Amino acid sequence: MKTSDFYYDLPKELIAQTPTPDRADCRLLVVDRAAHTMRDTMFPEVLELLRPGDVLVRNNTRVIPARLFATRTDTGGNMEFLLLERKEDDCWTCLAKPARRARVGQTYRVNDELWISVEGDTETEGGKLIKMHYDGIFEEVLDRAGNVPLPPYITEKLDDKERYQTVYARERGSAAAPTAGLHFTEELLEKIREKGVEIVDVLLHVGLGTFRPVSAENLEEHHMHAEYYSVTEEAAEKINRARANGGRIVAVGTTSTRTLESVADENGIVHAGSGETSIFITPGYKFKATDALITNFHLPESTLLMLVSALSTREEMLEVYKHAVEERYKFFSFGDAMMII
């Protein structure tokens, strides 16, 4: 299968640049795989589509203000650092821009509280290993110094940084938001609980590989980026109990899906654990722990579009996307949603 098999034509004006005033005030395209139908509605109807006994699995990662603008301490040259993963001793892997100018031994000033020294290169194109120098509590320093790293297709300024966080974001560590969850409000989540649906949190820190295009034409040659995940014993127990009782496992977003599929065995039993996953889900994959999916609309030729195509077929998903374009749905992070049942 080729990357170009997942291309579709998207008019630029359908890329949502700002979030809706109300998180849940967006459209929902319901795709019924068994009936081979699709239906246009609004996102709050998720409540009606969920059943008592189902489990709604969501990713409670929190986006860190990972984008840092700095100036070189000796020459005043500008540099941008995008934090990727925290290592030991206040070191981070990051992307530097322009990377060729960020050399080992150089130091950069972010503000009066935070300085950066370049420690080495990484295997990632444009990747660097840097060390943070600061006084006080790092998380508080970073909150004041950093910026939320919005995806490259969003060109307008975000007035409220919390709108690029889910209302249940807890565990800091992502470079991008699990955007399917942005549509949920506390009120809607409470109604879902009252209906008898269990809400379970898992964790996957979203890396910038999410935005990287698939460079290989043949999918077998693509190397998926690794991301940190964690599933607790309590979460695994709730998911397994629901499935044993006939409930569906409904994933909120592709990140929750990748987490579930990384920790489930061939019998669909979810096991607690943590580590890094580089699972790459494409059509032909047999899902072990995901029965339904709530997701946004993804970029052409992206690994995320390949994942949602695996839930049905490539041909059916491209028809769904064609319908979404014709009906003027909004696409990507701040766009409308789809539920595949």
Side-chain angles (χ1 to χ4, degrees), residues 20-158:
T20 57
D22 184 313
R23 287 177 181 266
D25 185 21
C26 71
R27 300 169 73 187
L28 178 71
L29 179 54
V30 182
V31 178
D32 188 323
R33 291 175 289 167
H36 300 287
T37 61
M38 47 185 141
R39 179 167 57 86
D40 304 303
T41 184
M42 298 299 290
F43 191 79
E45 192 168 328
V46 162
L47 180 64
E48 307 306 320
L49 294 165
L50 293 168
R51 308 168 189 157
D54 286 348
V55 172
L56 189 69
V57 180
R58 63 190 191 181
N59 179 9
N60 70 347
T61 188
R62 185 171 180 82
V63 183
I64 61 172
R67 194 178 188 188
L68 299 170
F69 297 100
T71 55
R72 191 167 151 183
T73 52
D74 54 353
T75 65
N78 294 326
M79 185 65 62
E80 179 183 334
F81 296 99
L82 202 51
L83 304 181
L84 297 180
E85 184 179 0
R86 192 172 192 170
K87 302 295 186 180
E88 296 179 350
D89 301 323
D90 285 318
C91 286
W92 286 75
T93 58
C94 74
L95 295 179
K97 184 180 177 181
R100 59 184 175 80
R101 294 184 184 172
R103 298 187 178 93
V104 175
Q106 292 176 351
T107 57
Y108 291 83
R109 177 186 178 276
V110 181
N111 62 9
D112 289 341
E113 297 180 283
L114 182 62
W115 286 262
I116 291 172
S117 60
V118 180
E119 304 293 312
D121 298 318
T122 68
E123 294 180 358
T124 304
E125 183 181 350
K128 300 290 177 180
L129 180 67
I130 60 174
K131 185 176 178 67
M132 301 293 191
H133 304 271
Y134 58 93
D135 291 319
I137 300 171
F138 177 72
E139 286 75 16
E140 295 178 359
V141 171
L142 186 63
D143 279 340
R144 290 188 288 269
N147 299 272
V148 173
L150 292 176
Y153 45 76
I154 293 177
T155 57
E156 293 190 23
K157 183 181 178 183
L158 182 62

Side-chain angles (χ1 to χ4, degrees), residues 4 10 26 33 100 103 138 140 145 147 150 170 186 214 240 265-266 309 320 324:
S4 55
L10 179 69
C26 71
R33 291 175 289 167
R100 59 184 175 80
R103 298 187 178 93
F138 177 72
E140 295 178 359
N147 299 272
L150 292 176
R170 296 291 180 272
E186 293 287 8
V214 179
N240 292 329
D265 62 27
E266 293 303 318
S309 296
V320 168

Side-chain angles (χ1 to χ4, degrees), residues 201-234:
D201 288 338
V202 296
L203 175 68
L204 186 134
H205 287 323
V206 187
L208 284 188
T210 296
F211 302 126
R212 287 191 177 277
V214 179
S215 55
E217 176 58 13
N218 295 312
L219 297 192
E220 307 83 55
E221 298 171 7
H222 176 67
H223 298 289
M224 195 73 174
H225 57 284
E227 295 168 317
Y228 176 81
Y229 72 86
S230 178
V231 177
T232 66
E233 291 281 358
E234 181 184 9

Side-chain angles (χ1 to χ4, degrees), residues 153-167:
Y153 45 76
I154 293 177
T155 57
E156 293 190 23
K157 183 181 178 183
L158 182 62
D159 293 329
D160 180 3
K161 289 193 290 188
E162 281 302 305
R163 290 305 308 273
Y164 195 58
Q165 307 277 10
T166 62
V167 296

Side-chain angles (χ1 to χ4, degrees), residues 230-251:
S230 178
V231 177
T232 66
E233 291 281 358
E234 181 184 9
E237 181 183 340
K238 287 180 178 179
I239 293 168
N240 292 329
R241 184 169 63 240
R243 168 155 279 179
N245 292 332
R248 296 175 303 171
I249 311 305
V250 181

